[in-house]
Amino acid sequence: MARRGSFEVTLEGRGAVTLREVDYVASGGEGAIYRTGQTGVKIYTDTAKMARDGIAEKIQLLAGLKHSGIVAPQGLVLDAGKKPIGF
C-alpha cells in the first residue's frame, strides 16, 4: 500500500527525490513501487529484510550489469537516516 503523503528518499548516485502518493504504481508481498520520471523505485514494506537477506549487497552487484537486454537496479534507495530501504 502507498504511504500517505509525500516522503523524501535518496537515490544512490542521483540524490534526493520526493515520492508522492501520485507516484505510486502498485504493491506486492515485499513492497511498493513508485515511478518518478523515467525511474521505478521499490520501497520494501519490511526494511529489515534488506539487512537480513543481504539485499543491499546484492543490489550493488546487480547495478554493475550493463546490457541492452537486461534491466538491472541502478542503486539503492536510502531513507533520511541513510539506511537502505529499497532500490
Side-chain angles (χ1 to χ4, degrees):
M1 175 177 290
R3 292 186 183 185
R4 297 278 185 214
S6 300
F7 60 102
E8 190 169 291
V9 296
T10 299
L11 302 181
E12 190 175 56
R14 293 190 41 199
V17 65
T18 300
L19 297 177
R20 301 163 295 156
E21 285 183 56
V22 70
D23 299 325
Y24 173 77
V25 176
S27 296
E30 288 187 327
I33 305 296
Y34 294 83
R35 179 178 170 175
T36 176
Q38 295 294 316
T39 302
V41 177
K42 178 178 181 175
I43 305 293
Y44 277 87
T45 304
D46 176 8
T47 55
K49 177 179 176 55
M50 291 198 67
R52 190 173 55 248
D53 294 351
I55 301 294
E57 293 80 10
K58 292 174 185 175
I59 295 303
Q60 289 176 328
L61 288 172
L62 290 170
L65 289 174
K66 307 290 184 220
H67 188 279
S68 61
I70 298 174
V71 176
Q74 295 178 354
L76 295 170
V77 177
L78 309 172
D79 66 10
K82 302 301 179 200
K83 176 183 168 190
I85 60 168
F87 63 90

